Amino acid sequence: MENELNQIKNKKMNDFINQINSVLESYMKNQSIDIMLNTKNILIGKKSINVTDDILKLINEKIK
């Protein structure tokens, strides 16, 4: 039973990640972005190139 629940949870998580990746790929294509990095791995950068709010808005619109 526990193994079954873990399999279901993993499948749902993978489906969710695939949906997010699809949104990210579409955004990157539409905005002509070649690379997207996690801000945890950035030492310093311009705040104007942070697209986190735009991405979260798209994810909220497209994934329910």
Side-chain angles (χ1 to χ4, degrees):
M1 176 91 165
E2 184 178 337
N3 189 30
E4 252 181 74
L5 290 174
N6 282 334
Q7 287 177 345
I8 291 170
K9 182 180 105 179
N10 288 339
K11 182 180 180 339
K12 293 290 184 181
M13 184 60 76
N14 286 336
D15 291 345
F16 180 66
I17 289 170
N18 287 336
Q19 288 179 317
I20 289 175
N21 283 338
S22 176
V23 171
L24 291 174
E25 288 172 5
S26 177
Y27 181 85
M28 290 176 67
K29 181 179 178 185
N30 292 337
Q31 300 296 320
S32 299
I33 297 173
D34 293 324
I35 188 168
M36 191 174 292
L37 303 170
N38 184 331
T39 56
K40 287 194 269 184
N41 299 322
I42 305 296
L43 180 61
I44 192 167
K46 291 182 180 179
K47 290 185 180 187
S48 63
I49 61 173
N50 185 339
V51 295
T52 303
D53 291 337
D54 296 339
I55 298 297
L56 289 174
K57 182 178 176 184
L58 282 173
I59 289 171
N60 285 330
E61 289 173 1
K62 299 196 182 261
I63 299 174
K64 299 192 182 205

